[in-house]
Amino acid sequence: MHLNLKPRRRRPKLSSSRLGASISLLVFTIGLPILSVLGIEFLERGNFHDTMQWITGNQPLFLLNVGLTFSLLAFLYAIVGSLAIAGSLSTLILGLMAIISYMKVKMIGEPFFPWDILLNKESMDIASLVTGKAALIRIIAVAVAIIAVLLLRWVIPKVRVPMIARVGVGLFAVYALYAFGIKTPLAGKILDHAGVNEIVWDQQENYVNNGLALAFTLNVKNSIVKKPDTYSEQSIAAAAASIQEANTQGADVKSAKLAKGKQPNVIFIMSEAFWDPTLLTNVSFSADPLPTIHRLQKESSSGYLLSPQFGGGTSNVEFEVLTGNSMSFLPGGSIPYQQYVSKPMPSLASYFADQGYKSMGIHSYEGWFWDRNTVYKELGFESFKSSEHFVNPETKGYFISDAEVARNVIDEVDKTDNPMFIYTVTMQNHGPYDDPRYGENQFKATGNLSAQAKSILETYTQGAHDADQSLQMLIDHFKDSDEPTMIVFYGDHLPMLGLDYQVYKEAGFISTSDANKWSLDEIKKMHSIPLVTWSNFDMPKQDIPLLSDSFLGAHVLDMLHLEKPANFALDAELAQQVPGLLNNLIVDPNGQLHKAAPETAASLITEYRNVQYDLMFGKQYLADYVDHDYLTKGTQADYNAEFGDAQAASAKSEADGNDEKPASAQ
């Protein structure tokens, strides 16, 4: 009888113990993902009120973020077999994502993308460039959270789960992460039911609306470029034949040998966030902030470019102009400089190098930015002068001034014997503009604007005026030069004038802050950038109503009467039928706006897409049929040698100087 009583006395204790363990595990596996999402959104948004407002107002999105975080936890548990260790690892991963995203937004207005993981070390070294209390608090908070979760290892009941069950949990977690990352049909239905709105053209807003975990996961599919169904050697052969026929018809085109038999310098100036603020409706200014631009619009070839970007993504505009390729055929939110340009790629830089030019890139910011140090080499530049190579540069506001950039362009042209192709990118007027960083702004805005919107607009306008004056500085120098020179000046995208398009909305330039509800005309306005040209030799004036950035290179070659290489010849042919090409807007030659390509241009657009895929990802069939040397050209062997030698000399000089100092001084 006594033996029979022992199990009866133990069963309640065993049952209670198992119940307690089950409750503890349930609380941990559900509670930790909830707290993780709460924590990373707090780190991302900066205050508890906005975080709770997002959670309470977007419960389906919050639950999706929790589900993805749970899947990460489950996957890690399947690997390590310890909930506490898996929890600390997931906290570490999510915390790092939140911190990096916070720092990236502070630096360049873009959140953390999946493809950022593949960047070179120098391109990921954002932490050293962002200092301050806010960043330090976030780092400490994540570290404390990791330690706290790890300490739960001695609190959470130890439960042995059979290996087969762990494998099942891991497989389920992997499938869940895969399904949302690739957006399978089932995942797509869930996302639609939850009301997910993926804003690929404004990734900062995409992350704010959908949450970090969900937005990051949805961007995974944007790392994958699918081969077009129409791509084959036969389709590329047909494209090559079309290109050759177009070149034959334009065989009378001659090389640009101008005054005194010299080839002209060709200087592209892509001015950071340059736009014409006088285009705002219901707003006026105390004086004209862009006198040079407005004069050139009357006197020289000018018009508007259709940018694939708004508020950020400068390198994507560079990519379109330099390569003639279109962002319309790449995944939304992708960054070609960081993802796809890892081998030599034909561009304007390599083309002009073949014509005897010195091709140089100039940018008044660090060379790692957007991975330009390596990308410019792959695009065929001979050298790249980034801010590290500016000597005692003048700054204005936060960055090197536009006037300093103009002086560097002049210096490089004047000291170089060969004609130059220069692609210049400025930085002075980079956002944000909520801090009146230029002091007392010269141009006062009048209109139905809030005090905050008025301050933002006036700060931006002062910077735009400085850009205008830097262009005038270049004109003043080259108008008296005996070297024929052409300048092509434009912006990369419209500026981000406050959150939720604040200035544009208050000024009545757009009807709503919801970009998904914009009309085609509003989409066009929010992507149209002023383009002006100038030359110190005679060129017929042309009016350019609207032209995609990807077609600008071909247009400039035509203006210079230079024979176009294969890909730019195809650009010119397509631009005649579809001058404006975005993934959500098509502009025909009559200026009519369409959501999709007209039937008359569909086959040529398909040809354009096939050629782009062939050059970037495919078998490079095109080089077998036309322009083989240009299309297969490698990088320049002495890329950046002039600045490498200067760096070596500087390092040697510094070392010699240190040798002469007493040890205490070193």
Side-chain angles (χ1 to χ4, degrees):
M1 178 68 71
H2 180 70
L3 291 174
N4 290 335
L5 289 176
K6 284 184 179 180
R8 293 177 183 173
R9 291 176 181 173
R10 289 177 180 175
R11 281 174 188 163
K13 292 181 181 179
L14 184 61
S15 176
S16 175
S17 175
R18 286 179 176 173
L19 180 61
S22 299
I23 292 174
S24 298
L25 293 174
L26 189 62
V27 169
F28 182 84
T29 54
I30 296 178
L32 183 61
I34 292 175
L35 292 175
S36 294
V37 173
L38 178 64
I40 62 177
E41 292 302 325
F42 176 72
L43 292 177
E44 184 83 352
R45 296 166 195 275
N47 66 77
F48 189 72
H49 176 266
D50 288 350
T51 303
M52 292 307 300
Q53 190 174 42
W54 174 75
I55 291 174
T56 55
N58 300 276
Q59 292 182 12
L61 299 180
F62 171 69
L63 292 176
L64 282 175
N65 278 267
V66 171
L68 291 170
T69 305
F70 171 81
S71 297
L72 174 63
L73 174 64
F75 171 70
L76 293 171
Y77 170 72
I79 294 174
V80 301
S82 167
L83 275 175
I85 295 177
S88 62
L89 288 174
S90 69
T91 303
L92 171 64
I93 293 170
L94 294 169
L96 284 175
M97 287 173 58
I99 291 172
I100 293 172
S101 193
Y102 163 79
M103 291 178 173
K104 276 196 67 185
V105 168
K106 283 290 182 183
M107 281 296 301
I108 58 177
E110 294 282 356
F112 181 52
F113 297 120
W115 46 87
D116 288 336
I117 298 170
L118 303 177
L119 293 180
N120 294 332
K121 180 179 181 294
E122 67 270 22
S123 300
M124 286 295 293
D125 190 19
I126 306 252
S128 63
L129 301 174
V130 180
T131 58
K133 184 179 178 181
L136 183 60
I137 289 175
R138 282 164 170 78
I139 293 170
I140 293 173
V142 171
V144 169
I146 293 170
I147 294 172
V149 174
L150 191 59
L151 290 176
L152 291 177
R153 186 179 185 186
W154 287 272
V155 178
I156 300 174
K158 294 182 179 180
V159 178
R160 292 190 176 184
V161 177
M163 180 58 69
I164 190 170
R166 276 173 53 189
V167 170
V169 168
L171 291 175
F172 171 79
V174 168
Y175 174 75
L177 294 171
Y178 167 83
F180 284 94
I182 303 301
K183 198 175 181 181
T184 62
L186 176 59
K189 290 181 180 179
I190 295 173
L191 292 170
D192 290 341
H193 184 72
V196 174
N197 179 22
E198 192 177 0
I199 311 172
V200 295
W201 59 90
D202 185 350
Q203 287 287 353
Q204 188 172 351
E205 186 175 352
N206 190 34
Y207 277 59
V208 169
N209 286 358
N210 293 319
L212 176 61
L214 179 58
F216 181 89
T217 305
L218 290 175
N219 267 320
V220 169
K221 66 182 181 300
N222 294 335
S223 303
I224 303 169
V225 179
K226 295 181 179 179
K227 183 176 73 171
D229 295 336
T230 53
Y231 174 71
S232 66
E233 184 172 4
Q234 291 73 25
S235 67
I236 297 301
S242 174
I243 291 169
Q244 288 174 321
E245 181 180 354
N247 282 341
T248 300
Q249 293 174 353
D252 58 338
V253 174
K254 298 180 180 179
S255 179
K257 300 283 186 179
L258 301 168
K260 299 181 181 179
K262 293 182 179 179
Q263 293 173 295
N265 299 306
V266 181
I267 303 171
F268 280 62
I269 307 289
M270 190 172 76
S271 183
E272 170 60 40
F274 184 83
W275 182 66
D276 185 352
T278 66
L279 294 174
L280 285 171
T281 48
N282 307 321
V283 173
S284 59
F285 292 90
S286 56
D288 184 1
L290 307 179
T292 305
I293 296 297
H294 292 155
R295 186 186 76 250
L296 291 178
Q297 286 176 334
K298 297 176 182 178
E299 299 174 355
S300 303
S301 295
S302 62
Y304 287 87
L305 293 176
L306 194 61
S307 172
Q309 302 296 133
F310 172 84
T314 297
S315 69
N316 287 354
V317 180
E318 277 177 67
F319 168 78
E320 285 208 343
V321 175
L322 284 168
T323 67
N325 293 325
S326 174
M327 291 297 300
S328 301
F329 305 129
L330 298 174
S334 59
I335 312 292
Y337 272 22
Q338 296 180 339
Q339 295 169 256
Y340 311 131
V341 186
S342 57
K343 62 181 181 180
M345 185 175 293
S347 75
L348 288 176
S350 58
Y351 168 79
F352 276 102
D354 283 345
Q355 309 304 310
Y357 280 66
K358 177 180 179 180
S359 291
M360 172 180 273
I362 297 179
H363 183 32
S364 51
Y365 201 64
E366 282 91 343
W368 62 263
F369 206 56
W370 294 126
D371 226 8
R372 286 187 180 93
N373 272 335
T374 55
V375 169
Y376 276 21
K377 179 179 181 180
E378 303 295 357
L379 293 180
F381 282 92
E382 180 178 329
S383 56
F384 173 39
K385 188 174 188 178
S386 55
S387 63
E388 296 93 326
H389 308 303
F390 282 53
V391 179
N392 298 321
E394 173 195 45
T395 60
K396 191 162 187 182
Y398 306 140
F399 306 107
I400 291 175
S401 70
D402 285 355
E404 182 68 24
V405 175
R407 285 190 285 269
N408 273 266
V409 169
I410 291 169
D411 178 63
E412 293 298 334
V413 172
D414 286 352
K415 73 182 185 183
T416 304
D417 293 331
N418 290 351
M420 292 196 73
F421 167 73
I422 301 181
Y423 197 91
T424 315
V425 184
T426 70
M427 190 70 176
Q428 178 190 318
N429 211 24
H430 195 287
Y433 312 100
D434 47 3
D435 177 26
R437 64 192 192 219
Y438 300 121
E440 182 66 23
N441 294 319
Q442 177 182 352
F443 302 92
K444 303 299 181 182
T446 304
N448 188 23
L449 300 173
S450 63
Q452 183 184 42
K454 184 174 184 294
S455 176
I456 290 172
L457 178 58
E458 289 177 351
T459 297
Y460 170 78
T461 301
Q462 183 65 54
H465 172 73
D466 291 345
D468 178 275
Q469 294 304 289
S470 72
L471 173 59
Q472 186 62 51
M473 182 188 300
L474 291 170
I475 293 172
D476 290 341
H477 174 81
F478 287 110
K479 70 181 180 181
D480 299 322
S481 172
D482 62 353
E483 291 192 51
T485 300
M486 178 185 187
I487 298 173
V488 183
F489 183 95
Y490 55 97
D492 50 356
H493 50 70
L494 269 73
M496 186 177 289
L497 300 177
L499 297 177
D500 294 326
Y501 312 99
Q502 180 184 2
V503 172
Y504 301 102
K505 179 65 170 63
E506 290 188 19
F509 194 69
I510 52 175
S511 60
T512 174
S513 296
D514 187 351
N516 293 305
K517 296 180 180 178
W518 288 348
S519 67
L520 291 179
D521 185 60
E522 286 175 319
I523 294 174
K524 174 189 170 185
K525 289 197 301 181
M526 295 298 279
H527 288 268
S528 295
I529 313 295
L531 162 72
V532 294
T533 65
W534 176 89
S535 64
N536 59 4
F537 53 89
D538 291 334
M539 295 187 74
K541 184 181 184 302
Q542 298 181 19
D543 293 323
I544 309 169
L546 194 69
L547 191 69
S548 276
D549 283 315
S550 54
F551 302 146
L552 176 60
H555 193 82
V556 170
L557 294 181
D558 278 337
M559 291 175 71
L560 291 169
H561 302 293
L562 287 167
E563 185 176 353
K564 298 182 294 294
N567 53 331
F568 288 98
L570 182 57
D571 290 347
E573 188 179 359
L574 179 57
Q576 293 178 5
Q577 296 189 32
V578 183
L581 178 63
L582 297 180
N583 58 7
N584 59 345
L585 174 67
I586 302 292
V587 184
D588 67 24
N590 299 319
Q592 297 297 312
L593 309 182
H594 309 267
K595 286 186 177 181
E599 285 296 324
T600 54
S603 61
L604 193 54
I605 290 176
T606 298
E607 196 170 89
Y608 179 41
R609 181 178 185 178
N610 287 337
V611 167
Q612 177 170 321
Y613 183 87
D614 184 64
L615 295 176
M616 292 184 67
F617 312 105
K619 301 282 183 73
Q620 295 183 307
Y621 294 129
L622 188 64
D624 295 333
Y625 296 93
V626 61
D627 286 340
H628 180 272
D629 291 343
Y630 161 73
L631 294 174
T632 60
K633 184 180 178 68
T635 61
Q636 297 206 42
D638 57 350
Y639 171 72
N640 248 8
E642 58 182 299
F643 296 122
D645 292 344
Q647 285 180 314
S650 176
K652 184 178 185 302
S653 175
E654 183 178 352
D656 291 344
N658 287 339
D659 289 342
E660 297 173 1
K661 295 177 183 178
S664 59
Q666 295 184 39

